[in-house]
Coordinates of all heavy atoms in Angstrom, one line a residue:
A8 N 48.8 -19.8 12.5 CA 49.2 -19.3 13.9 C 49.5 -20.5 14.8 O 50.3 -20.6 15.5 CB 48.2 -18.3 14.4
L9 N 48.5 -21.4 14.7 CA 48.5 -22.7 15.6 C 49.8 -23.5 15.3 O 50.4 -24.0 16.2 CB 47.3 -23.4 15.5 CG 46.0 -22.8 16.1 CD1 44.9 -23.7 16.0 CD2 46.2 -22.5 17.6
S10 N 50.1 -23.6 14.0 CA 51.3 -24.4 13.7 C 52.5 -23.7 14.1 O 53.5 -24.4 14.6 CB 51.3 -24.5 12.1 OG 50.2 -25.3 11.6
A11 N 52.5 -22.4 14.2 CA 53.7 -21.6 14.7 C 53.8 -21.8 16.2 O 54.9 -21.9 16.7 CB 53.7 -20.1 14.3
I12 N 52.7 -21.8 16.9 CA 52.7 -21.9 18.4 C 53.1 -23.4 18.6 O 53.9 -23.6 19.5 CB 51.2 -21.7 18.8 CG1 50.9 -20.2 18.7 CG2 51.1 -22.1 20.3 CD1 49.5 -19.8 19.1
G13 N 52.5 -24.3 17.9 CA 52.9 -25.7 18.1 C 52.6 -26.3 19.5 O 52.2 -25.6 20.4
T14 N 53.1 -27.5 19.7 CA 53.0 -28.2 21.0 C 53.8 -27.5 22.1 O 53.5 -27.5 23.2 CB 53.4 -29.7 20.8 OG1 52.4 -30.3 20.0 CG2 53.4 -30.4 22.2
R15 N 54.9 -26.9 21.6 CA 55.8 -26.3 22.6 C 55.2 -25.2 23.4 O 55.4 -25.0 24.6 CB 57.0 -25.8 21.9 CG 58.1 -25.2 22.8 CD 59.4 -24.8 22.0 NE 60.4 -24.3 22.9 CZ 61.5 -23.9 22.5 NH1 61.9 -23.8 21.1 NH2 62.4 -23.4 23.3
Y16 N 54.3 -24.4 22.7 CA 53.7 -23.2 23.4 C 52.3 -23.2 23.5 O 51.6 -22.3 24.0 CB 54.1 -21.9 22.6 CG 55.6 -21.7 22.5 CD1 56.2 -21.7 21.3 CD2 56.4 -21.5 23.7 CE1 57.6 -21.5 21.2 CE2 57.8 -21.3 23.6 CZ 58.3 -21.3 22.4 OH 59.8 -21.0 22.2
V17 N 51.6 -24.3 23.1 CA 50.1 -24.4 23.2 C 49.6 -24.2 24.6 O 48.5 -23.6 24.9 CB 49.5 -25.6 22.6 CG1 50.0 -26.9 23.3 CG2 48.1 -25.5 22.4
C18 N 50.4 -24.7 25.6 CA 49.9 -24.6 27.0 C 50.0 -23.2 27.6 O 49.5 -23.0 28.6 CB 50.8 -25.5 27.9 SG 50.7 -27.3 27.4
L19 N 50.6 -22.3 26.7 CA 50.6 -20.9 27.2 C 49.4 -20.1 27.0 O 49.2 -19.1 27.4 CB 51.8 -20.2 26.6 CG 53.2 -20.7 26.9 CD1 54.3 -19.9 26.2 CD2 53.5 -20.6 28.4
L20 N 48.5 -20.8 26.1 CA 47.3 -20.0 25.7 C 46.4 -19.9 26.9 O 46.1 -20.9 27.6 CB 46.6 -20.7 24.5 CG 47.4 -20.9 23.2 CD1 46.6 -21.7 22.2 CD2 47.6 -19.5 22.6
N21 N 45.8 -18.7 27.1 CA 44.8 -18.5 28.2 C 43.5 -18.9 27.7 O 43.3 -19.2 26.5 CB 44.9 -17.1 28.8 CG 44.6 -16.0 27.7 OD1 43.7 -16.2 26.9 ND2 45.3 -14.9 27.8
T22 N 42.5 -18.8 28.6 CA 41.1 -19.2 28.3 C 40.5 -18.4 27.1 O 39.9 -19.0 26.2 CB 40.2 -19.0 29.5 OG1 40.8 -19.8 30.6 CG2 38.8 -19.5 29.2
T23 N 40.8 -17.1 27.2 CA 40.3 -16.2 26.1 C 40.8 -16.5 24.7 O 40.1 -16.6 23.7 CB 40.5 -14.7 26.4 OG1 39.9 -14.4 27.7 CG2 40.0 -13.8 25.4
E24 N 42.1 -16.8 24.7 CA 42.8 -17.2 23.4 C 42.4 -18.6 23.0 O 42.1 -18.8 21.8 CB 44.3 -17.2 23.7 CG 44.9 -15.8 23.9 CD 46.3 -15.8 24.6 OE1 46.8 -16.8 25.0 OE2 46.8 -14.7 24.7
L25 N 42.2 -19.5 23.9 CA 41.7 -20.7 23.5 C 40.3 -20.8 22.9 O 40.0 -21.4 21.9 CB 41.7 -21.7 24.7 CG 43.0 -22.2 25.2 CD1 42.9 -22.8 26.6 CD2 43.7 -23.2 24.3
K26 N 39.5 -19.9 23.6 CA 38.1 -19.8 23.0 C 38.0 -19.1 21.7 O 37.1 -19.3 20.8 CB 37.2 -19.0 24.0 CG 37.0 -19.8 25.3 CD 36.1 -19.1 26.2 CE 35.7 -19.9 27.5 NZ 34.9 -19.2 28.5
A27 N 39.0 -18.4 21.3 CA 39.2 -17.7 20.1 C 39.6 -18.6 18.8 O 39.6 -18.1 17.7 CB 40.1 -16.4 20.2
I28 N 40.1 -19.7 19.2 CA 40.5 -20.6 18.1 C 39.4 -21.0 17.2 O 38.3 -21.5 17.7 CB 41.2 -21.9 18.7 CG1 42.4 -21.5 19.4 CG2 41.5 -23.0 17.7 CD1 43.1 -22.7 20.2
D29 N 39.6 -20.9 15.9 CA 38.6 -21.4 14.9 C 38.7 -22.9 14.8 O 39.7 -23.4 14.4 CB 38.8 -20.7 13.6 CG 37.7 -21.0 12.6 OD1 36.6 -21.3 13.0 OD2 38.1 -21.0 11.4
P30 N 37.7 -23.7 15.2 CA 37.8 -25.2 15.2 C 38.4 -25.7 13.9 O 39.3 -26.6 14.0 CB 36.4 -25.6 15.5 CG 35.9 -24.5 16.3 CD 36.5 -23.3 15.7
P31 N 38.0 -25.4 12.7 CA 38.5 -26.0 11.5 C 40.0 -25.8 11.4 O 40.6 -26.7 10.7 CB 37.8 -25.3 10.4 CG 36.5 -24.8 11.0 CD 36.8 -24.4 12.4
S32 N 40.6 -24.9 12.1 CA 42.1 -24.7 12.0 C 42.8 -25.8 12.7 O 44.0 -26.1 12.3 CB 42.5 -23.4 12.6 OG 42.2 -23.4 14.0
L33 N 42.2 -26.6 13.5 CA 42.9 -27.7 14.1 C 43.1 -28.9 13.2 O 43.9 -29.8 13.5 CB 42.0 -28.3 15.4 CG 42.0 -27.3 16.6 CD1 41.1 -27.9 17.6 CD2 43.4 -27.1 17.1
K34 N 42.3 -28.9 12.1 CA 42.6 -29.9 11.1 C 43.9 -29.9 10.4 O 44.5 -30.8 10.0 CB 41.5 -29.8 9.9 CG 40.1 -30.2 10.4 CD 39.1 -30.1 9.3 CE 37.7 -30.5 9.7 NZ 36.7 -30.5 8.5
L35 N 44.5 -28.6 10.4 CA 45.8 -28.4 9.7 C 46.9 -28.2 10.7 O 48.1 -28.0 10.3 CB 45.7 -27.2 8.8 CG 44.6 -27.3 7.7 CD1 44.5 -26.1 6.8 CD2 44.9 -28.4 6.8
A36 N 46.6 -28.1 11.9 CA 47.7 -27.9 13.0 C 47.9 -29.2 13.7 O 46.9 -29.9 14.1 CB 47.2 -26.8 13.9
S37 N 49.2 -29.5 14.1 CA 49.5 -30.6 14.8 C 49.9 -30.2 16.3 O 51.0 -29.6 16.6 CB 50.7 -31.3 14.2 OG 51.2 -32.4 14.9
L38 N 48.9 -30.5 17.1 CA 49.1 -30.1 18.5 C 49.0 -31.2 19.5 O 48.2 -32.2 19.2 CB 48.0 -29.0 18.9 CG 47.9 -27.7 18.1 CD1 46.8 -26.9 18.7 CD2 49.3 -26.9 18.3
D39 N 49.7 -31.2 20.6 CA 49.7 -32.2 21.6 C 49.6 -31.5 22.9 O 50.5 -31.1 23.6 CB 50.9 -33.2 21.6 CG 50.8 -34.2 22.7 OD1 49.8 -34.3 23.4 OD2 51.8 -34.9 22.8
P40 N 48.3 -31.4 23.6 CA 48.1 -30.7 24.8 C 48.3 -31.5 26.0 O 47.8 -31.2 27.1 CB 46.7 -30.1 24.6 CG 46.0 -31.2 23.9 CD 47.0 -31.8 22.9
S41 N 48.9 -32.7 25.9 CA 49.0 -33.6 27.0 C 49.7 -33.0 28.3 O 49.4 -33.5 29.3 CB 49.7 -34.9 26.6 OG 50.9 -34.7 26.2
A42 N 50.6 -32.1 28.1 CA 51.3 -31.5 29.2 C 50.6 -30.3 29.7 O 51.1 -29.6 30.7 CB 52.7 -31.1 28.7
C43 N 49.4 -29.9 29.1 CA 48.8 -28.7 29.6 C 47.8 -28.9 30.8 O 47.7 -30.0 31.3 CB 47.9 -28.2 28.4 SG 48.8 -27.8 26.9
S44 N 47.3 -27.8 31.3 CA 46.4 -27.8 32.4 C 45.1 -28.6 31.9 O 44.8 -28.6 30.8 CB 46.0 -26.4 32.9 OG 45.2 -25.8 32.0
Q45 N 44.3 -29.1 32.9 CA 43.1 -29.8 32.6 C 42.1 -28.9 31.9 O 41.5 -29.2 30.9 CB 42.5 -30.4 33.9 CG 41.3 -31.3 33.5 CD 41.7 -32.5 32.7 OE1 42.6 -33.2 33.0 NE2 41.1 -32.6 31.5
E46 N 42.1 -27.6 32.3 CA 41.2 -26.6 31.7 C 41.5 -26.4 30.2 O 40.7 -26.4 29.3 CB 41.3 -25.3 32.4 CG 40.3 -24.3 31.8 CD 40.4 -22.9 32.5 OE1 41.3 -22.7 33.2 OE2 39.5 -22.1 32.2
T47 N 42.8 -26.4 29.9 CA 43.3 -26.3 28.5 C 42.8 -27.5 27.7 O 42.4 -27.4 26.6 CB 44.8 -26.0 28.4 OG1 45.1 -24.7 29.0 CG2 45.3 -26.0 27.0
K48 N 43.1 -28.6 28.3 CA 42.7 -29.9 27.6 C 41.2 -29.9 27.3 O 40.8 -30.4 26.2 CB 43.1 -31.1 28.5 CG 44.6 -31.3 28.6 CD 44.9 -32.5 29.5 CE 46.3 -32.7 29.8 NZ 46.5 -33.9 30.8
N49 N 40.5 -29.5 28.3 CA 39.0 -29.6 28.1 C 38.5 -28.7 26.9 O 37.7 -29.0 26.2 CB 38.2 -29.1 29.4 CG 38.5 -30.1 30.6 OD1 39.1 -31.2 30.3 ND2 38.2 -29.7 31.8
L50 N 39.1 -27.5 27.0 CA 38.7 -26.4 25.8 C 39.2 -27.0 24.5 O 38.5 -26.8 23.5 CB 39.3 -25.1 26.2 CG 38.6 -24.4 27.4 CD1 39.5 -23.2 27.8 CD2 37.2 -24.0 27.1
L51 N 40.4 -27.4 24.4 CA 40.9 -27.9 23.1 C 40.2 -29.1 22.7 O 39.9 -29.2 21.5 CB 42.4 -28.2 23.2 CG 43.3 -27.0 23.1 CD1 44.8 -27.4 23.4 CD2 43.1 -26.3 21.8
Y52 N 39.7 -30.0 23.6 CA 38.9 -31.1 23.1 C 37.6 -30.8 22.5 O 37.2 -31.3 21.5 CB 38.6 -32.0 24.3 CG 37.7 -33.2 23.9 CD1 38.1 -34.2 23.2 CD2 36.3 -33.1 24.2 CE1 37.2 -35.2 22.7 CE2 35.4 -34.0 23.8 CZ 35.9 -35.1 23.1 OH 35.1 -36.2 22.7
Q53 N 36.9 -29.8 23.1 CA 35.7 -29.3 22.6 C 35.9 -28.6 21.2 O 35.0 -28.9 20.3 CB 35.0 -28.2 23.5 CG 34.5 -28.8 25.0 CD 33.6 -30.0 24.7 OE1 32.8 -29.9 23.8 NE2 33.6 -31.0 25.6
K54 N 37.0 -28.0 21.0 CA 37.3 -27.4 19.7 C 37.6 -28.5 18.7 O 37.1 -28.4 17.5 CB 38.5 -26.5 19.8 CG 38.3 -25.2 20.6 CD 37.4 -24.2 19.9 CE 37.4 -22.9 20.7 NZ 36.5 -21.9 20.0
A55 N 38.3 -29.5 19.1 CA 38.7 -30.7 18.2 C 37.4 -31.4 17.9 O 37.3 -31.9 16.7 CB 39.8 -31.5 18.8

C-alpha cells in the first residue's frame, strides 16, 4: 500500500492513517516526506 501511495501522495495521510502504518513496511517502501507538514515528518520519523 505504501509503495502505491508513494512520495506523491504520502503527504495526504492524516494522523490516524500515519499511526496505522506498520513500521517494518517502511523497509520495503520508498518514501520521501520532505514536502509534508512537520507533524507528518515527525510521525514518519518515529515509524522509520
Side-chain angles (χ1 to χ4, degrees):
L9 290 178
S10 294
I12 291 171
T14 295
R15 184 176 182 181
Y16 298 119
V17 68
C18 298
L19 296 177
L20 297 177
N21 60 38
T22 301
T23 301
E24 293 160 353
L25 288 167
K26 290 181 177 179
I28 293 176
D29 185 29
S32 64
L33 290 178
K34 291 183 176 181
L35 301 175
S37 179
L38 301 177
D39 179 6
S41 59
C43 300
S44 68
Q45 191 58 59
E46 182 181 12
T47 295
K48 292 177 184 178
N49 295 348
L50 289 171
L51 281 175
Y52 173 78
Q53 294 302 327
K54 293 286 183 178

